Amino acid sequence: DLLLYTNLIGMYASCGFLLDAREVLEKFPVRDVILWTALLSGYVDQGFSEEALDCAQRMEMDGVSPNIVTFCCLLKACGNMGLIGMGEEIHIEVRNNGLIEKDILLGTTLVDMYAKMGMLEKAKEVFEEDLPIRNVVSWNSLLGVFSQDMFVERFLQSFEQILQEGLLPDRITFISIISGCAEKVLLSAGKIMHARIAHNGIEIDVKVASALINMYGKCGEIEDSKYIFDVLPNRNLFCWNTMIGAYVQRGFFK
């Protein structure tokens, strides 16, 4: 049963038992792209990018052509290893085959790959030219690009464009923009984003709260940082560290 074998590979790979996952694949007599991609995806997710590329090579030797998910895994591996040439070759292939227009995730993965390699202009070019249809995940990837060059005005412009395209920003969107406001000490913009969080019904979990605590702390509003920290029902170590950092930055050492 091909589906059973695919799920077995996925289970072992997700749990980090990649040798077992590979053994299951090699036992199956007829291996299709879904079976190969399950293993390849496991390698990438567990941080074994080189093994993932080796797996793709063996898949090619098996006479199996990659699908969209395979290409996404390969782009992630290229980004992790800084393989610019291979990443660009895959980009050309998926573009020539019209695959980017068919799947938003593929275009988003391309943006992530170029951003990880430090090719920020290329990442922006892919977003603007290769992604005719975008979702909030795609926009979050672009915000990740902007976070590297800290163009906060682009953060705020992007937020307006997200709304204009009829999309709902999610928690990742707000965390990215609030973090940008913190770095540039933009209190008024940060407060607007804080108000938007409530307006959009976004839950203020530890990650969102930490971003707000950091933003208010860097902008000199330590009482606002303390209030957000105090009303948060569940606080983890990261949240405590953020509050400590906010106090230290403002000189409240005691």
Side-chain angles (χ1 to χ4, degrees), residues 2 9 15 46 50 56 79 87 89 91 105 114 121 136-137 149 158-160 165 177 183 194-195 198 233 248:
L2 182 62
I9 291 170
C15 295
Q46 295 296 326
E50 190 172 347
E89 285 178 13
H91 183 185
L105 179 60
Y114 283 122
E121 289 303 321
V136 71
V137 178
D149 55 23
S158 295
F159 186 81
E160 292 304 319
E165 291 184 12
I177 297 175
E183 291 302 318
H194 188 180
V248 169

Side-chain angles (χ1 to χ4, degrees), residues 36 73 92 135 208 240:
W36 275 108
C73 292
I92 292 168
N135 60 13
V208 176
W240 277 98

Side-chain angles (χ1 to χ4, degrees), residues 7 40 87 104 121 129 142 159-161 194 211 242 254:
N7 285 325
L40 200 154
I104 295 176
E121 289 303 321
E129 296 180 10
L142 187 66
F159 186 81
E160 292 304 319
Q161 283 184 262
H194 188 180
T242 306
K254 185 178 179 181

Side-chain angles (χ1 to χ4, degrees), residues 102-118:
K102 294 178 182 178
D103 194 274
I104 295 176
L105 179 60
L106 184 57
T108 303
T109 307
L110 271 167
V111 173
D112 286 337
M113 180 196 72
Y114 283 122
K116 194 170 285 186
M117 292 177 177

Side-chain angles (χ1 to χ4, degrees), residues 65-137:
S65 299
N67 62 14
I68 287 176
V69 179
T70 317
F71 281 124
C72 285
C73 292
L74 292 175
L75 289 169
K76 287 179 184 177
C78 289
N80 292 338
M81 297 180 69
L83 300 175
I84 296 174
M86 183 180 288
E88 288 179 328
E89 285 178 13
I90 296 171
H91 183 185
I92 292 168
E93 184 175 353
V94 296
R95 177 192 280 165
N96 291 343
N97 289 324
L99 296 178
I100 302 176
E101 292 83 358
K102 294 178 182 178
D103 194 274
I104 295 176
L105 179 60
L106 184 57
T108 303
T109 307
L110 271 167
V111 173
D112 286 337
M113 180 196 72
Y114 283 122
K116 194 170 285 186
M117 292 177 177
M119 302 172 68
L120 305 185
E121 289 303 321
K122 188 69 176 178
K124 285 174 243 175
E125 179 187 312
V126 171
F127 183 86
E128 291 166 359
E129 296 180 10
D130 289 349
L131 292 180
I133 300 174
R134 301 185 282 254
N135 60 13
V136 71
V137 178

